[in-house]
């Protein structure tokens, strides 16, 4: 081996972002299982003759052969592992996949191995790629956010009071997003920034945080509870990231346009079971 020969290695990768570079190249931001987030260059990919382009679409799970480069490692060979075809056929699922991948991008570090994060994102995309009833997509996003926060060290405290550490009772507690958790009534009297959190809402958040996706997918929520949970998670992400996610606006637009779009959804599945938590947390 000559001293100047580039080191070649293989890696699985999920395409999170990409941008055009030079006349025919692209810079790819990818998530990998063992090297964390990386920026790679795919040379000549924008040429019509390129055979790599179809394997490097956004939100595609690929297998790459890479050569170490001075600024970016270079994609020399690529093959598709999972294309998530059903996501690409559904605009709402595309928007949800974009949300998962933008979160993975925001919470991952360059060259920092995080295999559990990789597994979580791949699980989320596989779940999105499955056929399901209309309520499960938003539930997956709620579950994903809570588990992502846990994996990356930003888990909100939902089981014990963040002030006195006593177990929380099923009463009207208080939520302080800035402090990162829930406060019992005894400690909340001087917490001006805390807001009331209803027992049913806390039940669902705790269930999603502590259970796997197979169990969480079976939940059915009243719209008021679902909306309250979405609002809390959205504001907590803003608190942690200190910026808005671009994909949330895209999802809102798709939801607004959904009634006017042609439906490609499969026939409705059997009725979703009511909540596993309590009789008062059920679908309406």
């Amino acid at each position: 081996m000559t001293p100047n020969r580039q080191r070649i290695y293989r890696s699985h990768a999920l395409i999170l972002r990409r941008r055009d570079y030079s006349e025919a190249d692209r810079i790819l931001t990818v998530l990998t299982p063992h090297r964390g987030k990386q920026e790679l260059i795919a040379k000549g990919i924008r040429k019509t003759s390129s055979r790599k382009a179809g394997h490097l679409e956004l939100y595609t799970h690929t297998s790459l052969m890479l050569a170490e480069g001075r600024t970016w490692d270079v994609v020399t060979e690529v093959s598709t592992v999972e294309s998530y075809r059903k996501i690409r056929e559904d605009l709402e699922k595309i928007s949800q996949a974009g949300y998962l991948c933008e979160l993975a991008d925001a919470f991952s570090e360059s060259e920092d191995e995080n295999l559990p994060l990789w597994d979580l994102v791949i699980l989320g995309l596989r779940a999105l790629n499955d056929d399901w009833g209309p309520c499960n997509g938003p539930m997956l996003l709620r579950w994903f956010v809570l588990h992502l926060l846990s994996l990356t060290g930003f888990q909100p405290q939902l089981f014990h009071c963040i002030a006195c550490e006593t177990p929380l009772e099923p009463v009207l507690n208080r939520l302080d997003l800035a402090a990162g958790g829930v406060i019992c009534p005894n400690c909340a009297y001087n917490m001006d920034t805390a807001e009331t959190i209803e027992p049913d809402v806390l039940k669902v958040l705790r269930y999603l945080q502590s259970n796997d996706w197979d169990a969480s997918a079976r939940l059915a929520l009243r719209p008021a509870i679902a909306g309250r949970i979405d609002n809390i998670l959205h504001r907590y992400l803003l608190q942690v990231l200190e910026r808005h996610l671009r994909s949330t606006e895209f999802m809102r637009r798709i939801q607004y346009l959904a009634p006017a779009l042609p439906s490609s959804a499969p026939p409705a599945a059997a009725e979703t079971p009511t909540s596993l938590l309590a009789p008062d947390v059920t679908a309406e």
Side-chain angles (χ1 to χ4, degrees):
M1 180 183 295
T2 63
N4 294 328
R5 184 174 178 181
Q6 291 176 310
R7 179 171 174 260
I8 305 296
Y9 65 98
R10 288 188 177 275
S11 178
H12 281 239
L14 177 67
I15 313 301
L16 302 178
R17 284 186 287 125
R18 61 187 188 178
R19 67 181 188 273
D20 292 346
Y21 180 77
S22 188
E23 292 185 0
D25 306 338
R26 278 204 176 109
I27 306 300
L28 309 172
T29 301
V30 305
L31 183 69
T32 69
H34 301 295
R35 292 173 177 251
K37 186 166 62 177
Q38 290 182 271
E39 281 204 332
L40 312 171
I41 185 167
K43 294 185 175 181
I45 192 176
R46 290 157 55 208
K47 294 179 179 178
T48 55
S49 59
S50 173
R51 297 182 179 180
K52 298 186 184 79
H55 300 285
L56 295 172
E57 296 291 339
L58 288 173
Y59 322 139
T60 301
H61 175 189
T62 64
S63 176
L64 304 177
M65 179 79 80
L66 297 159
E68 287 189 345
R70 181 172 298 178
T71 304
W72 301 290
D73 290 357
V74 182
V75 177
T76 60
E77 294 180 17
V78 58
S79 61
T80 298
V81 178
E82 295 173 283
S83 66
Y84 307 117
R85 180 179 57 83
K86 292 176 183 176
I87 292 177
R88 300 180 190 286
E89 295 172 350
D90 187 311
L91 197 55
E92 185 174 14
K93 288 188 177 186
I94 290 173
S95 71
Q96 292 165 343
Y99 180 71
L100 298 188
C101 288
E102 187 176 4
L103 283 171
D105 187 6
F107 281 91
S108 56
E109 299 291 338
S110 297
E111 305 294 336
D112 183 18
E113 179 180 357
N114 192 336
L115 185 57
L117 175 59
W118 165 267
D119 290 339
L120 177 67
V121 180
I122 294 299
L123 184 155
L125 291 173
R126 287 173 178 167
L128 276 178
N129 196 55
D130 288 340
D131 291 324
W132 55 13
C135 71
N136 286 15
M139 190 68 73
L140 174 68
L141 303 189
R142 298 171 193 127
W143 176 86
F144 181 91
V145 167
L146 285 163
H147 284 258
L148 177 68
L149 291 168
S150 297
L151 284 177
T152 53
F154 296 98
Q155 175 175 287
Q157 177 54 261
L158 304 175
F159 288 86
H160 295 82
C161 173
I162 58 175
C164 67
E165 300 186 355
T166 58
L168 295 166
E169 299 293 334
V171 297
L172 282 176
N173 291 286
R174 305 280 284 179
L175 172 67
D176 191 327
L177 294 176
V182 180
I183 307 163
C184 72
N186 292 332
C187 298
Y189 64 93
N190 62 348
M191 298 284 188
D192 295 335
T193 60
E195 62 192 83
T196 299
I197 182 167
E198 301 80 1
D200 288 349
V201 172
L202 184 56
K203 283 181 186 179
V204 176
L205 287 169
R206 289 163 66 156
Y207 189 87
L208 291 173
Q209 187 184 75
S210 56
N211 284 274
D212 63 18
W213 169 238
D214 287 340
S216 300
R218 298 161 57 194
L219 293 176
L221 308 178
R222 293 196 298 267
I225 293 176
R228 176 79 169 117
I229 290 170
D230 291 342
N231 179 267
I232 288 171
L233 293 178
H234 174 73
R235 289 184 293 121
Y236 189 64
L237 287 172
L238 282 177
Q239 185 77 36
V240 172
L241 295 174
E242 299 181 336
R243 64 178 176 87
H244 286 273
L245 295 169
R246 290 179 296 174
S247 53
T248 55
E249 180 59 28
F250 181 46
M251 283 197 300
R252 288 194 187 100
R253 291 180 181 180
I254 296 304
Q255 290 167 359
Y256 176 77
L257 294 172
L261 295 173
S263 174
S264 60
E271 183 179 355
T272 305
T274 55
S275 170
L276 305 178
L277 304 178
D280 56 344
V281 186
T282 59
E284 286 189 330

